[in-house]
Amino acid sequence: MENMIEIKNLCKEYRGEGETVHVLENLDMIVKDGTISSVEGASGVGKSTLLNIIGTIDSATSGQLHIGGQEVSSMSSSSQESMRAHMIGFIFQHHYLLPDFTVLENVMMPMMIQRRPTSYCREEAMKALTQVGLEHRFQHYPSQISGGEMARSGVARALVGGHKLILADEPTGNLDKNNSDRLADLIWQLQSELKFTLLIVTHDRDLAERVPFRYRLVAGKLQPFS
Ligand SMILES: Nc1ncnc2c1ncn2[C@@H]1O[C@H](COP(=O)(O)OP(=O)(O)OP(=O)(O)O)[C@@H](O)[C@H]1O
Ligand SMILES: [Mg+2]
């Protein structure tokens, strides 16, 4: 099995007025292709920072990051953008659906960014929304759907465009227990069909308990969860 994510000696620090905050310190991580892993840990410990660096929407202070065998830190920003658009889907706690676009248009967006033909984007978005049980909500706006439906739209948007790596930051953070369980069932079912690599940051113990490869972020490094 190939490695989807390979991290060596990753450091991230914030230099402020006074002291420097070391968030990640010589962190190493390997995530195998097609697996589900989680990063847990206290609030403020650096989980989102790590996820954003892996997603190439933030950059490390030093260290090496390989995604799908490609060294990210030495890539130009335009190659990084193209790699991100083709490889990586994001699921966020607050979903970030664009309010002025319908659910269907929101899910078409990542493929439009990949410059695919509009008719293709529409078809694939309809397929993904049907997979998450939202075939009756294509023309609704985000303000016209429920929290659970927004979460499912966010999952559909992450899945389209052939993304091989899905990064999820507190995907169930906004949902009640019933909706969290249903969302997790859905994500697991889609993962077993599509075999993408999934990395989840979460505080949700019920969600984490389903995860085969669990890590805890402590003092800038990952520990296997025991
Ligand atoms: N732009 C910034 N400048 C300075 N410090 C920052 C900046 N962004 C994040 N931090 C600090 O980095 C640390 C890690 O933040 P991060 O958001 O990764 O935590 P987290 O583990 O995701 O927390 P939570 O569980 O609350 O979401 C925090 O202490 C935060 O204050
Ligand atoms: Mg966070």
Side-chain angles (χ1 to χ4, degrees):
M1 206 189 307
E2 302 285 312
N3 295 333
M4 175 56 80
I5 304 172
E6 247 183 81
I7 295 174
K8 266 213 115 20
N9 283 322
L10 192 79
C11 296
K12 176 69 175 179
E13 56 193 41
Y14 291 106
R15 287 196 190 104
E17 287 285 292
E19 57 175 335
T20 300
V21 183
H22 297 273
V23 181
L24 306 175
E25 285 197 272
N26 297 310
L27 180 145
D28 296 330
M29 182 181 208
I30 288 184
V31 174
K32 301 265 181 211
D33 206 357
T35 58
I36 304 179
S37 313
S38 66
V39 175
E40 297 158 66
S43 177
V45 82
K47 303 178 301 294
S48 296
T49 303
L50 175 62
L51 204 73
N52 292 341
I53 292 172
I54 293 170
T56 74
I57 52 181
D58 191 1
S59 56
T61 308
S62 62
Q64 290 97 52
L65 166 64
H66 286 80
I67 304 285
Q70 303 180 73
E71 161 65 84
V72 171
S73 23
S74 59
M75 280 182 185
S76 68
S77 57
S78 66
S79 329
Q80 274 189 21
E81 268 167 41
S82 157
M83 190 276 289
R84 188 191 317 133
H86 289 93
M87 294 270 298
I88 307 178
F90 295 89
I91 303 174
F92 301 100
Q93 175 178 0
H94 298 289
H95 326 307
Y96 297 118
L97 297 172
L98 300 171
D100 297 334
F101 293 87
T102 63
V103 166
L104 184 67
E105 288 163 345
N106 267 280
V107 176
M108 289 168 67
M109 208 66 73
M111 296 177 287
M112 297 299 285
I113 293 170
Q114 293 175 346
R115 298 180 188 285
R116 313 259 188 169
T118 306
S119 58
Y120 171 88
C121 298
R122 187 174 298 112
E123 252 168 57
E124 291 298 306
M126 286 163 77
K127 249 192 257 169
L129 281 166
T130 303
Q131 277 180 309
V132 302
L134 288 178
E135 61 281 356
H136 55 318
R137 292 289 181 267
F138 292 162
Q139 299 309 331
H140 283 59
Y141 286 85
S143 61
Q144 301 170 329
I145 58 176
S146 73
E149 288 171 339
M150 279 191 226
R152 283 187 276 145
S153 307
V155 170
R157 184 186 52 188
L159 293 178
V160 294
H163 295 144
K164 290 278 179 254
L165 173 60
I166 307 291
L167 302 174
D169 198 345
E170 301 281 3
T172 58
N174 252 352
L175 301 175
D176 60 31
K177 170 93 178 100
N178 180 37
N179 272 305
S180 299
D181 288 346
R182 286 174 53 200
L183 189 76
D185 288 344
L186 174 69
I187 293 174
W188 256 251
Q189 178 215 322
L190 292 167
Q191 197 277 338
S192 80
E193 281 167 29
L194 304 170
K195 310 284 185 217
F196 50 81
T197 307
L198 175 63
L199 178 60
I200 305 174
V201 161
T202 189
H203 280 118
D204 177 344
R205 191 163 300 171
D206 291 338
L207 178 66
E209 275 172 2
R210 299 174 175 231
V211 174
F213 301 101
R214 293 171 72 179
Y215 299 92
R216 203 198 300 268
L217 183 55
V218 181
K221 288 191 178 65
L222 288 177
Q223 306 174 343
F225 199 98
S226 48

